[in-house]
Each structure stands twice: as C-alpha cells, then as structure tokens.
Amino acid sequence: MLNQQKFSSLLYSNQKIYTKLKNEVPTYYSESSEVNNSQFATGCIIEGKVQGSSISRGTVIDKGTEVIDSITMPNAKICAGAKVQNAILDKEVVVDPGVQIIGTRENPIVIEKYQHVTNDILANGVAVSNVER
C-alpha cells in the first residue's frame, strides 16, 4: 500500500472493494512525531517515529517509540520507548514501555490480537527478560 502504483491499481481498478466505514477524528501528529513513507487510518495519536509502516485506526504510538517497516491493526498501543520493527501487531495489542519487538523482512514477528507484550521478542523467536525502565 505504500507503493503508489500498487495502491492505485488496487483502489482504482474495475473490481469493487467493500469496506465498513468508521468515521473518526483525523490522526493527530504531535510536534515530537517523525513520520516517513507511512500510511495512517483515522483516529490515531502519533508522538513517536514511524517509518515505512501501515498504521490502522485508533492506534496510539507514544513519545520515544519507533515503529519501522511494520503493520498495526486497529487500536494497538505502543508505549513510550518501545521499538517495533518488521512486525505485524493484530488488533488491540499493547506493547509495554521499553519493549523491543524486532523481526526481519524474511521472518516478521506476528503478535496475535488482544496480547499484552511485556518482554522483548527477537527475530530468532527467543524472548528475553523485561527491559529496565
């Protein structure tokens, strides 16, 4: 969806796309936010760094957070100081402060819906202890 040609070919083709409308407030970008090559749905609050990612509605990205090359589904919350890279967070996932979720392009980390992530998760699947806060 971040590639303009692919985005246009999907949304402006002859095949219809049916969606559920959820009219919400626009996404809020604070002065501390840093956004590059990313797509946002409505109702998000962005205070951290987002790069090369697709962010679904109602997602909160706190100050000091990095989200890189990732996808979040609706109502995810990524707390201050966390880092999410090459990951897919399903709906209503909460990532605690300072936690790192780091996958690779070939092996992204997938977090199931309604999960509360309190430990680091690395690309090799090894979870390490909580990050000092």
Side-chain angles (χ1 to χ4, degrees):
M1 293 301 289
L2 297 178
N3 178 303
Q4 183 63 41
Q5 184 178 1
K6 291 178 182 178
F7 179 85
S8 294
S9 68
L10 175 66
L11 293 181
Y12 300 108
S13 69
N14 292 331
Q15 187 172 358
K16 292 182 179 181
I17 297 175
Y18 296 96
T19 64
K20 290 192 264 182
L21 291 178
K22 296 262 186 181
N23 293 328
E24 296 184 44
V25 297
T27 289
Y28 170 77
Y29 302 92
S30 75
E31 288 185 17
S32 65
S33 68
E34 182 181 332
V35 174
N36 186 14
N37 190 35
S38 296
Q39 186 175 49
F40 297 86
T42 57
C44 298
I45 298 174
I46 310 302
E47 296 181 302
K49 177 181 177 181
V50 181
Q51 178 178 321
S53 298
S54 181
I55 309 299
S56 295
R57 68 179 182 270
T59 295
V60 176
I61 298 175
D62 284 344
K63 193 172 186 176
T65 298
E66 290 185 18
V67 178
I68 302 169
D69 298 329
S70 297
I71 298 170
T72 68
M73 299 301 173
N75 302 313
K77 177 160 177 54
I78 305 170
C79 296
K83 181 175 182 178
V84 177
Q85 184 171 355
N86 293 309
I88 301 170
L89 308 183
D90 206 341
K91 65 182 178 179
E92 299 188 30
V93 166
V94 175
V95 179
D96 271 357
V99 170
Q100 295 186 31
I101 300 173
I102 302 175
T104 64
R105 290 182 83 79
E106 299 78 27
N107 186 24
I109 302 294
V110 179
I111 307 296
E112 294 180 10
K113 59 186 169 184
Y114 310 117
Q115 298 299 308
H116 186 164
V117 182
T118 60
N119 296 322
D120 291 355
I121 302 175
L122 307 176
N124 61 8
V126 176
V128 297
S129 63
N130 286 336
V131 174
E132 293 291 325
R133 293 182 194 93

